[in-house]
Amino acid sequence: MPVSRLTLTDFRSYPSALIEPGAGFVLLSGENGAGKTNLLEAVSLLSPGRGLRGAALSDMARIGGEGGFAVAARLAEADIGTGTVPTAPERRQVRINSAPATVNSLSERLSVLWLTPAMDRIFLGSAGDRRRFLDRLVLALQPSHAHHSSRYEAAMRSRNKLLADDRIPDPSWLAALEQQMAEHGASIGDARAHTVAELERRLEESPEDEFARASIRLGGWEQADLAEQLRQARGRDAAAGRATVGPHRQDLLVLHRAKQMDAARSSTGEQKALLLGLVLAHAELVTERRGEPPILLLDEVAAHLDPKRRAALFARLEGRGQVWMTATEAALFEGVGTATRFHVEGGSVSAS
């Protein structure tokens, strides 16, 4: 469901801001450093996690402000608010319809996906980068994924700490933690595998247009009896200081479908097209599965596409729900039909 009203207080470069976007394209133009990406980041906080920059919460509070920040949004069926207070700058608070709520409950209200310039080289980055990208795709389809991921991480940290203790670890305590990791790890692995299979099917059916189609699969860890794998790996994990098996070792493997070539070996332009095609296919899958499209946040995407690919992108996004896009020049949005347009300058936003 789209955001019909967005209010910021002491967030990044904004002492305060209020915008009322439409349900389709939301176009933000302005010079570099004007605050366009800050608006996208605010919308990204309407979902679990640290937003599209992955920044510390204390870094989101406006310099010169009181130390906390607030982001509030109106949806069709709920008012959502999130932020921090000066006394707890790294503790995120969430309210839904004025009542306290958990961060993970946000994914039950709406799904938010994004592409930023920093993600352009994701195929050349670490497995962790691709895994976090995949988990964002999974979360849009299965909101419970956030719960299983947080519980798995908590159990893994406790196990790592126990193994690092100089004393001989309590076997029953270790076994209990490993069982927790196994239970939540199985849910994580199943959710990822199901999402990848569904997305691969969608990619096979995607139209042949200006965006190269990807082929994807999981690698890095095969699902098995994780509790037994962890039990056998205790000595190795104690020496390494971390768990060496489990879903936290998985990777999203991506090929250029037509060329059957690793995406990491594709050209920069092809990698951009593969990533865009992957996100567009996923947005269609989310719409099919959840009955409503996700909110898409596309930061400076148009500037990195030639006119032919820009036109193809706008055509595929038309009627696909709320799509926020930024550009340094409004001319880069030429070809977009009905849209809500804003000009961003010096921490202020005005309709244009």
Side-chain angles (χ1 to χ4, degrees), residues 6-11 14-19 38-39 42-43 70-72:
L6 181 70
T7 307
L8 311 182
T9 303
D10 280 337
F11 181 79
Y14 295 93
S16 64
L18 187 156
I19 63 173
N38 293 343
L39 289 170
V43 178
V71 173

Side-chain angles (χ1 to χ4, degrees), residues 114-228:
W114 54 80
L115 277 181
T116 69
M119 296 169 64
D120 286 353
R121 307 288 279 178
I122 193 171
F123 303 128
L124 299 176
S126 68
D129 292 337
R130 289 183 292 276
R131 189 165 54 249
R132 284 185 288 273
F133 171 71
L134 172 60
D135 282 338
R136 176 60 54 183
L137 303 185
V138 175
L139 185 62
L141 294 166
Q142 302 192 41
S144 62
H145 187 63
H147 165 75
H148 292 297
S149 296
S150 62
R151 295 300 298 271
Y152 177 87
E153 292 287 338
M156 183 169 63
R157 286 194 299 270
S158 295
R159 178 178 179 270
N160 290 345
K161 184 177 180 180
L162 194 59
L163 288 174
D165 198 315
D166 291 336
R167 296 169 294 180
I168 298 176
D170 181 346
S172 61
W173 191 0
L174 269 177
L177 291 170
E178 289 164 354
Q179 186 59 39
Q180 289 181 40
M181 289 178 65
E183 291 174 1
H184 294 291
S187 295
I188 293 169
D190 288 343
R192 286 176 180 164
H194 187 67
T195 297
V196 167
E198 287 290 294
L199 190 51
E200 174 67 6
R201 175 184 62 81
R202 172 64 66 174
L203 286 165
E204 288 176 351
E205 300 170 354
S206 293
E208 294 282 359
D209 59 12
E210 299 304 317
F211 297 100
R213 292 188 299 162
S215 178
I216 62 174
R217 63 184 177 87
L218 284 172
W221 176 71
E222 296 293 334
Q223 281 188 263
D225 186 346
L226 180 55
E228 178 60 21

Side-chain angles (χ1 to χ4, degrees), residues 27-343:
L27 308 180
L28 309 170
S29 61
E31 296 180 353
N32 290 327
K36 304 183 299 297
T37 304
N38 293 343
L39 289 170
L40 298 192
E41 185 180 29
V43 178
S44 72
L45 290 176
L46 303 179
S47 62
R50 291 295 181 92
L52 59 79
R53 284 190 174 105
L57 292 171
S58 57
D59 291 339
M60 299 180 192
R62 183 175 65 91
I63 296 174
E66 296 183 358
F69 72 88
V71 173
R74 175 162 295 169
L75 311 178
E77 299 177 355
D79 288 332
I80 292 177
T82 188
T84 63
V85 296
T87 54
E90 288 296 345
R91 184 186 175 201
R92 184 176 173 189
Q93 299 182 359
V94 172
R95 300 184 76 83
I96 297 178
N97 292 329
S98 300
T102 65
V103 173
N104 289 342
S105 66
L106 291 173
S107 60
E108 299 170 4
R109 296 288 175 171
L110 77 169
S111 57
V112 185
L113 302 174
W114 54 80
L115 277 181
T116 69
M119 296 169 64
D120 286 353
R121 307 288 279 178
I122 193 171
F123 303 128
L124 299 176
S126 68
D129 292 337
R130 289 183 292 276
R131 189 165 54 249
R132 284 185 288 273
F133 171 71
L134 172 60
D135 282 338
R136 176 60 54 183
L137 303 185
V138 175
L139 185 62
L141 294 166
Q142 302 192 41
S144 62
H145 187 63
H147 165 75
H148 292 297
S149 296
S150 62
R151 295 300 298 271
Y152 177 87
E153 292 287 338
M156 183 169 63
R157 286 194 299 270
S158 295
R159 178 178 179 270
N160 290 345
K161 184 177 180 180
L162 194 59
L163 288 174
D165 198 315
D166 291 336
R167 296 169 294 180
I168 298 176
D170 181 346
S172 61
W173 191 0
L174 269 177
L177 291 170
E178 289 164 354
Q179 186 59 39
Q180 289 181 40
M181 289 178 65
E183 291 174 1
H184 294 291
S187 295
I188 293 169
D190 288 343
R192 286 176 180 164
H194 187 67
T195 297
V196 167
E198 287 290 294
L199 190 51
E200 174 67 6
R201 175 184 62 81
R202 172 64 66 174
L203 286 165
E204 288 176 351
E205 300 170 354
S206 293
E208 294 282 359
D209 59 12
E210 299 304 317
F211 297 100
R213 292 188 299 162
S215 178
I216 62 174
R217 63 184 177 87
L218 284 172
W221 176 71
E222 296 293 334
Q223 281 188 263
D225 186 346
L226 180 55
E228 178 60 21
Q229 290 179 333
L230 290 167
R231 188 187 68 79
Q232 294 183 6
R234 287 174 183 174
R236 181 173 70 247
D237 291 355
R242 66 184 189 280
T244 57
V245 293
H248 64 286
R249 305 288 292 175
Q250 284 185 309
D251 192 1
L252 178 65
L253 307 179
V254 184
L255 293 177
H256 187 302
R257 184 178 293 271
K259 296 183 177 181
Q260 284 299 292
M261 180 174 66
D262 193 318
R265 296 177 57 196
S266 300
S267 70
T268 301
E270 286 176 325
Q271 289 179 14
K272 182 73 173 184
L274 285 168
L275 184 58
L276 265 170
L278 183 57
V279 169
L280 292 174
H282 179 258
E284 293 169 359
L285 179 59
V286 171
T287 304
E288 176 186 292
R289 291 277 299 278
R290 292 185 60 142
E292 60 184 23
I295 293 177
L296 289 178
L297 310 176
L298 306 179
D299 193 18
E300 299 290 352
V301 169
H304 298 87
L305 298 175
D306 56 48
K308 194 173 182 181
R309 281 202 173 104
R310 278 204 301 272
L313 174 63
F314 298 155
R316 286 190 64 174
L317 292 173
E318 185 71 40
R320 300 288 183 178
Q322 193 171 58
V323 181
W324 297 61
M325 301 180 69
T326 68
T328 54
E329 301 175 23
L332 290 170
F333 296 134
E334 184 178 351
V336 175
T338 303
T340 314
R341 300 169 188 264
F342 296 96
H343 180 71

